[in-house]
Structure formats: C-alpha cells, structure tokens
Amino acid sequence: STPDELRLWLDANTKAIAGMARIALSAGDFENAQEILAMAPPEKANDPDIASARFAEARLARAVGR
C-alpha cells in the first residue's frame, strides 16, 4: 500500500480509525490514540465514531490526570 492508498482507505473508514484509537486507549497509550485520531480527515471530525473516540480519549485523560 502506498501512503495515498492508505489515506483513501482511512478517509472512507472512520470506524477503523475510531476502533484503532480505542484499542490504543484500552492499553493506556494516549499518545498513540491521539496520533491515530489525527489520521481522520478534517471533514470527518464530526463523524459519530470519531467524535465518540475523541470523547473517550478526553474522558480517560481526565481520569488519569492528563
């Protein structure tokens, strides 16, 4: 896969981005979760899956004092 192919796949698959971010969060890897969420295209920022994962990231960060 080329970077362009990966971007096209990510553009279409917000569920995968959100899922990968949640996996990182479940492992306590906040930095990786943020990097994964940053892969979401700006026009998908309000996608329910992305928004939910961002909310979970913020909530867990607060819970551990980040």
Side-chain angles (χ1 to χ4, degrees):
S1 293
T2 67
D4 289 337
E5 290 171 334
L6 179 59
R7 173 55 73 183
L8 287 173
W9 180 82
L10 291 172
D11 283 351
N13 207 334
T14 55
K15 287 186 184 305
I17 295 170
M20 290 187 305
R22 286 176 189 265
I23 290 168
L25 288 172
S26 70
D29 190 348
F30 294 98
E31 289 179 19
N32 194 31
Q34 290 173 337
E35 289 176 15
I36 292 166
L37 287 169
M39 291 180 193
E43 64 273 11
K44 302 282 186 174
N46 292 324
D47 176 89
D49 293 311
I50 297 298
S52 176
R54 284 202 172 111
F55 177 78
E57 185 273 328
R59 188 171 179 209
L60 286 171
R62 278 192 303 270
V64 297
R66 287 188 161 226

